[in-house]
Amino acid sequence: MERYICEHRLYEDFRPLVDKVKSLESERTFNHSKNVALTALKLNAKLKLDNDKVFLAALLHDVAKYDKGIYAVPENSLDTPVEHQFAGSEKVKTLGITDEDVINAIRYHTTGKPEMTNLEKLIYLSDMISYERDFDGVDELRRIVDNDFEEGFKACLKHNYDYLIETKAEEDIYPLTVKAYNYYIKEKSN
């Protein structure tokens, strides 16, 4: 996959931005961001979305991972694990990103939401199943995603929701996550 990025000059075309992101993120977060980009580009071979958008959204999805309280975000996301998705969608604008598709893919990459675009779904699930992830069940999620993108997205959403239910009370789960779960798992599955 790194060969694909080099052959299609994605690192070269976006070299200043890649260098900027590398300077803003910890080494661990930057490696994760690269893995998400590789995962997303691999999966995009079937989806045929705009590779530049896929690369940018994946690379930048965690750019505000540690920027607490700097950007205008929904008040109910402050000091939660999802704050960075909203902050990231604001921070990328300061980096010159104006494409709403890319911004929205970053904005919803942790929670999901009802009626997601394929790019939004791609970044959501690529973040979850990127190459360095090793939680119980990740290999099965990867298999499902490889076989069927939509079913894989729903499997990732359900896995995330089930994990959150196990680790916290439902009322403590961010509302967009509950709405996404209800929309894709409860409503769309019937």
Side-chain angles (χ1 to χ4, degrees):
M1 195 47 58
E2 294 234 21
R3 184 179 60 194
Y4 176 91
I5 290 174
C6 292
E7 286 173 2
H8 288 82
R9 303 173 50 96
L10 291 174
Y11 278 152
E12 289 179 40
D13 291 349
F14 298 111
R15 173 55 67 189
L17 185 59
V18 171
D19 290 342
K20 180 71 173 172
V21 171
K22 188 174 184 178
S23 74
L24 294 171
E25 294 181 346
S26 69
E27 183 177 348
R28 181 175 183 228
T29 300
F30 184 69
N31 284 332
H32 166 67
S33 296
K34 287 191 308 186
N35 283 330
V36 172
L38 292 171
T39 302
L41 288 167
K42 175 186 175 220
L43 295 171
N44 192 43
K46 291 179 185 175
L47 292 175
K48 307 283 190 232
L49 303 174
D50 181 301
N51 274 328
D52 287 354
K53 290 183 181 191
V54 169
F55 179 74
L56 288 172
L59 180 72
L60 297 169
H61 80 283
D62 275 348
V63 74
K65 188 82 171 171
Y66 304 104
D67 292 353
K68 302 283 185 193
I70 296 174
Y71 298 94
V73 300
E75 192 172 319
N76 66 348
S77 75
L78 289 171
D79 294 321
T80 71
V82 304
E83 179 180 359
H84 77 282
Q85 74 177 17
F86 300 111
S89 69
E90 295 302 316
K91 185 172 186 168
V92 297
K93 295 173 188 175
T94 70
L95 300 174
I97 304 300
T98 58
D99 187 297
E100 285 298 317
D101 294 335
V102 172
I103 292 167
N104 284 331
I106 294 165
R107 183 176 288 125
Y108 302 112
H109 81 269
T110 305
T111 60
K113 71 175 185 86
E115 299 183 17
M116 293 173 77
T117 66
N118 279 344
L119 179 60
E120 291 166 353
K121 291 175 185 176
L122 178 61
I123 301 308
Y124 177 92
L125 66 84
S126 294
D127 182 31
M128 188 168 195
I129 66 167
S130 66
Y131 297 114
E132 84 287 358
R133 301 286 197 196
D134 65 356
F135 58 86
D136 285 342
V138 71
D139 290 331
E140 178 63 11
L141 290 173
R142 289 179 183 129
R143 187 193 63 72
I144 296 168
V145 169
D146 283 342
N147 285 337
D148 185 313
F149 177 77
E150 285 298 321
E151 289 305 312
F153 166 72
K154 287 192 261 182
C156 287
L157 185 61
K158 184 175 182 335
H159 185 278
N160 185 46
Y161 184 83
D162 290 347
Y163 169 78
L164 292 170
I165 288 292
E166 286 177 20
T167 59
K168 54 178 67 179
E170 186 169 9
E171 62 271 8
D172 293 332
I173 299 172
Y174 196 76
L176 271 178
T177 302
V178 175
K179 287 178 183 177
Y181 177 82
N182 288 338
Y183 181 81
Y184 286 104
I185 306 303
K186 288 187 174 178
E187 293 176 25
K188 290 279 189 180
S189 295
N190 295 332

